[in-house]
Amino acid sequence: MAFARSLLILLLFLPSSVLAADHCVTVQSKKGWQTLNLPGGKIRKVSFSGNWSVITGLYKPVGPRGYSGQDAKKLGPLYGYKFDQSYAFGEMLVRDQAGRIVPFAEFAALAVNSADPAGVYAFRINDQDVALWDNAGAIRVCVSMR
């Protein structure tokens, strides 16, 4: 009983960041949709690390915003290989539990304001399944919750 009381008192005085939990998924560029299950709570921060590329050796690795500039222009004729034509090649796409697909940047911006983020989210590179074989790299996504 004394231990439980001491633990409760300790938890009350710890900063809230200590009580935060990270939920992460490493999104592989050679795979289709990859899931992350988020519990109920409040999202504090969404972060990423790593990079990936489409057509390894021809295009430099990029982050979750995908290709822009000259590389995007050179990839232009291959537009039919994009999973979603609305977004850049190599961009990370996020599908929520309602089936809506948005780019990672939009997901990250909106997630921290979500009243109830609980559910299964899926992530992938913006590249058709038939074109995943020549990709390389991965991007790790972490959602910090409190």
Side-chain angles (χ1 to χ4, degrees):
M1 183 68 165
F3 174 75
R5 192 173 340 141
S6 297
L7 184 60
L8 180 61
I9 290 170
L10 179 63
L11 289 174
L12 289 174
F13 289 102
L14 285 175
S16 63
S17 62
V18 173
L19 300 175
D22 283 352
H23 302 275
C24 302
V25 61
T26 300
V27 185
Q28 301 293 330
S29 64
K30 289 182 176 275
K31 295 183 180 178
W33 291 109
Q34 298 153 70
T35 60
L36 175 64
N37 191 356
L38 293 180
K42 178 77 174 132
I43 294 176
R44 188 171 58 85
K45 179 176 77 169
V46 177
S47 59
F48 75 91
S49 61
N51 55 44
W52 54 28
S53 63
V54 298
I55 314 177
T56 304
L58 286 179
Y59 297 96
K60 65 180 173 25
V62 293
R65 289 192 182 258
Y67 290 94
S68 61
Q70 285 297 89
D71 283 341
K73 190 173 182 176
K74 285 192 279 184
L75 281 162
L78 302 173
Y79 71 91
Y81 288 103
K82 287 183 183 181
F83 184 86
D84 188 318
Q85 299 299 318
S86 304
Y87 306 112
F89 258 119
E91 190 157 8
M92 183 182 292
L93 304 178
V94 183
R95 184 178 64 207
D96 67 13
Q97 54 270 43
R100 292 177 297 239
I101 297 174
V102 297
F104 175 76
E106 186 175 329
F107 163 77
L110 296 175
V112 294
N113 295 317
S114 176
D116 183 17
V120 177
Y121 295 81
F123 301 78
R124 71 171 295 138
I125 191 169
N126 191 18
D127 205 5
Q128 289 280 351
D129 288 349
V130 299
L132 296 175
W133 65 273
D134 62 354
N135 295 350
I139 296 177
R140 184 164 176 79
V141 174
C142 288
V143 179
S144 297
M145 301 190 68
R146 55 176 174 217

